[in-house]
Amino acid sequence: MNQPAPQLTTCPVTFTQLLSSTRRGARLARLLTLSQLQSWAAPQDLTERAEIVVAELAANAVLHGSLPGRSLRLTLAFEASSRLLRVDVTDARGDRWPQGRPLSAASDTPLHTSGRGLSLVAAVADHWETLPYPPSGKTVRAELVGPA
């Protein structure tokens, strides 16, 4: 019976926090991400990219996904051995899913102050997607892989 032994996979360390669906809550999500990734000794490149992703996803949750009296949820899961970070930002508006769109010449002018967030997430993250969060919300998930 020469079968390979099952490989143990390390469990990711996780962090979850409910935050107010306000600009202050979005800012706090970014600051908490920095603090948590530093405490996990995540690579600096990964931490910087995660800061951008969390800032954009939390801002979108506040602008487009908030309902009165409902919070947003930030979840970070980091697996050090594979250098994989998963960022989940969950909001209450499952009926309003983000629409990623390419930057066009018309929307990429200095006068337009919105419409670039998901383009930044797509450029910085290795993968992103939107998932339902029953009963009525959604989670925008981004995955980032740190340098080897």
Side-chain angles (χ1 to χ4, degrees), residues 7 89 120 128 133:
Q7 296 297 314
V89 176
L120 282 172
W128 75 274
Y133 188 83

Side-chain angles (χ1 to χ4, degrees), residues 123-141:
V124 172
D126 294 293
H127 174 75
W128 75 274
E129 62 184 329
T130 305
L131 306 164
Y133 188 83
S136 63
K138 69 177 173 300
T139 296
V140 181
R141 172 174 291 166

Side-chain angles (χ1 to χ4, degrees), residues 52-53 55-57 59-60 63-64 98-125 128:
I52 294 167
V53 168
E56 292 301 332
L57 295 183
N60 280 352
L63 290 172
H64 307 295
Q99 301 296 316
R101 60 180 184 224
L103 292 175
S104 66
S107 68
D108 195 21
T109 64
L111 298 178
H112 289 144
T113 59
S114 65
R116 297 181 180 99
L118 289 176
S119 296
L120 282 172
V121 171
V124 172
W128 75 274

Side-chain angles (χ1 to χ4, degrees), residues 33-121:
T33 297
L34 286 173
S35 175
Q36 194 61 53
L37 291 177
Q38 289 170 351
S39 76
W40 290 337
Q44 184 65 29
D45 171 69
L46 183 66
T47 301
E48 290 170 358
R49 291 169 47 217
E51 180 182 13
I52 294 167
V53 168
V54 169
E56 292 301 332
L57 295 183
N60 280 352
V62 169
L63 290 172
H64 307 295
S66 64
L67 287 174
R70 301 284 301 272
S71 300
L72 68 91
R73 178 187 310 268
L74 169 67
T75 302
L76 307 171
F78 179 58
E79 190 172 314
S81 64
S82 63
R83 303 170 325 278
L84 174 68
L85 173 66
R86 188 182 73 222
V87 174
D88 289 350
V89 176
T90 303
D91 65 49
R93 295 294 304 263
D95 60 327
R96 297 182 72 184
W97 283 44
Q99 301 296 316
R101 60 180 184 224
L103 292 175
S104 66
S107 68
D108 195 21
T109 64
L111 298 178
H112 289 144
T113 59
S114 65
R116 297 181 180 99
L118 289 176
S119 296
L120 282 172
V121 171

Side-chain angles (χ1 to χ4, degrees), residues 7-21:
Q7 296 297 314
L8 296 176
T9 58
T10 60
C11 293
V13 289
T14 60
F15 171 83
T16 299
Q17 182 68 51
L18 287 176
L19 301 161
S20 64
S21 290

